[in-house]
Amino acid sequence: MRVLVIGSGAREHALVLALRRDPAVTALFAAPGNAGIAQHAQVRPVDPCAAEDVVALATEVDADLVVIGPEVPLVLGVADAVRVAGIACFGPSAAAARIEGSKAFAKDVMAAAGVRTAHSEVVDNPAELDDALDRFGPTWVVKDDGLAAGKGVVVTADRSAARDHGAELLEQGHPVLLESFLDGPEVSLFCLVDGETVVPLLPAQDHKRVGDGDTGPNTGGMGAYTPLPWLPESTVTAIVEDVVKPVAAELVRRGSGFSGLLYAGLAIGAAGPAVVEFNCRFGDPETQAVLALLDSPIGELLNATATGTLAQVAPPRWRDGSAITVVLAAENYPGRPRLGDAISGAGEGALDEHATVLHAGTAQREDGALVSAGGRVLNVVGVGADLIEARTRAYDRIAAIKLPGSHYRTDIGLAAVEDRIEV
């Protein structure tokens, strides 16, 4: 099987490495890729959002399967164009990708499917913002209704901060979604979805805020770990049966059945799981940890999902132990990051089964030096017999990497290790 992976981040690097381990994958391509991905796949400088160019490349390399990593190409309909060209594609249609592209659409789907989620209101007129804010609190959740790369959300007990964020979004022409605050620890559950067939992967927990102790602004994700020792297996089953399956069925009922990876972000509160958000693709950085424990050939799973035969494939097998992802970010991230600084100590790292270095925002200079090219620059994935060992391996490895002004959280997975998470 010849596979083309679309995207340029650590998520795509993790997908490429997993596909590389699959004996059924005979050729591997990536567009546009990054400096790390280029060591394991043939990379091409194609814009992931340019549907015609993606189709042309898939045709040129005779791809049997196209795997689309980021959400923006999916929302723009790149998967539709690939399928029209007669090539199997892992990733939902533009119609189904609205589950992430429009939070208002997602709320409507959940309401129709009877899925628990936060109470919400959409505000598209600045004159209505203050009255709407008065109907929420004492903790305000203010979101960009569209795509914002994980950084369009403010959760605050400060009404003025909530108002400022909402006013800024409206000034930019973006509708604002106000939500009631959901209590309880958050869980990311990835599910392969083929119409109404739903196959869950391992649950993970992301760390969104930039600083230790969940301080500072939201980011695209500073780290994640899997599995979750504090989450009962019965809760995962309940999420699949009461959340993901009803939403998948509702999308089919609307004529926009989902094909690909449906990501449910949930808060596990006193009344049970409630949906915080849906994403239409593999999450970043949770994917990096989840795939590190996958023991099944990933190509078979992705291809079966893309070709409508997921129900015929054996459930995924998993390695014992734990995995953790720690993100190394550039100076000033999640603000405007400093770019172009030389990175040392990253090494190859991709073949170390205990501590893998994945590239997220990197490039290679003409002199061969590895330099930063994005806000989230590298990920280190540690794998161990338990979360303590996985954390030790990840943090020992990331400490050896040098990038001026860079930063990372030191507490990824620590609350679980210290048994401070309660359901």
Side-chain angles (χ1 to χ4, degrees):
M1 181 165 53
R2 300 169 65 84
V3 182
L4 169 62
V5 176
I6 301 299
S8 61
R11 166 186 49 213
E12 288 75 35
H13 196 173
L15 284 164
V16 163
L17 288 181
L19 287 161
R20 186 174 178 267
R21 294 191 295 267
D22 187 338
V25 177
T26 55
L28 197 50
F29 306 87
N34 60 37
I37 291 172
Q39 299 173 30
H40 306 286
Q42 297 182 45
V43 298
R44 302 294 178 85
V46 168
D47 180 355
C49 297
E52 291 184 3
D53 294 346
V54 171
V55 170
L57 176 59
T59 303
E60 176 192 335
V61 303
D62 196 22
D64 300 299
L65 174 67
V66 174
V67 179
I68 300 178
E71 62 273 21
V72 176
L74 294 168
V75 170
L76 293 177
V78 174
D80 301 82
V82 172
R83 280 190 278 266
V84 166
I87 303 168
C89 186
F90 182 85
S93 65
R98 286 186 296 164
I99 198 76
E100 178 172 2
S102 169
K103 295 176 180 66
F105 174 78
K107 291 289 186 183
D108 186 59
V109 169
M110 284 186 275
V115 170
R116 289 188 67 243
T117 186
H119 167 68
S120 66
E121 291 184 29
V122 175
V123 179
D124 56 12
N125 185 334
E128 299 171 357
L129 180 59
D130 283 310
D131 286 345
L133 286 168
D134 289 342
R135 292 190 286 273
F136 290 82
T139 299
W140 284 268
V141 181
V142 186
K143 298 182 177 182
D144 188 330
D145 184 52
L147 298 176
K151 293 179 284 187
V153 181
V154 164
V155 180
T156 180
D158 183 342
R159 188 186 187 284
S160 63
R163 189 188 189 287
D164 288 346
H165 184 58
E168 181 182 0
L169 292 174
L170 289 167
E171 190 173 309
Q172 295 169 358
H174 297 187
V176 172
L177 185 78
L178 300 179
E179 287 187 338
S180 57
F181 178 71
L182 295 173
D183 67 330
E186 290 196 13
V187 170
S188 301
L189 184 64
F190 298 168
C191 293
L192 300 172
V193 176
D194 164 19
E196 295 193 43
T197 300
V198 175
V199 176
L201 306 185
L202 290 180
Q205 187 175 57
D206 186 14
H207 295 60
K208 279 289 188 186
R209 295 201 182 254
V210 71
D212 284 0
D214 293 325
T215 58
N218 275 334
T219 71
M222 294 299 292
Y225 65 97
T226 188
L228 308 182
W230 48 269
L231 186 71
E233 180 61 34
S234 60
T235 304
V236 175
T237 301
I239 293 169
V240 172
E241 295 298 326
D242 301 337
V243 175
V244 183
K245 284 186 177 180
V247 165
E250 175 62 19
L251 289 171
V252 169
R253 189 190 70 77
R254 295 178 180 221
S256 53
F258 197 96
S259 173
L261 194 291
L262 186 57
Y263 161 146
L266 309 109
I268 312 299
V275 175
V276 175
E277 64 176 352
F278 276 107
N279 290 337
C280 64
R281 38 69 192 184
F282 277 107
D284 183 346
E286 300 100 317
T287 297
Q288 292 85 297
V290 170
L291 292 188
L293 296 182
L294 180 64
D295 200 36
S296 299
I298 192 173
E300 179 184 39
L301 292 167
L302 301 185
N303 189 61
T305 305
T307 56
T309 59
L310 182 60
Q312 302 169 27
V313 175
R317 300 185 307 274
W318 302 98
R319 296 169 56 186
D320 292 334
S322 295
I324 180 174
T325 308
V326 182
V327 173
L328 181 74
E331 182 176 348
N332 199 43
Y333 178 80
R336 184 183 297 275
R338 175 171 152 174
L339 308 178
D341 287 316
I343 304 165
S344 63
E348 160 50 13
L351 300 181
D352 184 338
E353 63 177 334
H354 299 307
T356 302
V357 178
L358 300 176
H359 291 234
T362 65
Q364 199 160 23
R365 281 195 322 224
E366 291 183 4
D367 63 1
L370 185 68
V371 298
S372 58
R376 293 186 293 176
V377 182
L378 295 169
N379 291 182
V380 174
V381 180
V383 177
D386 54 27
L387 188 52
I388 294 174
E389 185 175 53
R391 276 177 45 83
T392 298
R393 287 172 169 170
Y395 280 111
D396 284 351
R397 184 67 185 88
I398 203 168
I401 300 172
K402 306 303 179 187
L403 171 64
S406 62
H407 58 97
Y408 57 88
R409 282 184 60 161
T410 65
D411 64 346
I412 305 301
L414 184 60
V417 168
E418 296 178 346
D419 198 23
R420 290 189 279 113
I421 302 177
E422 296 183 0
V423 176

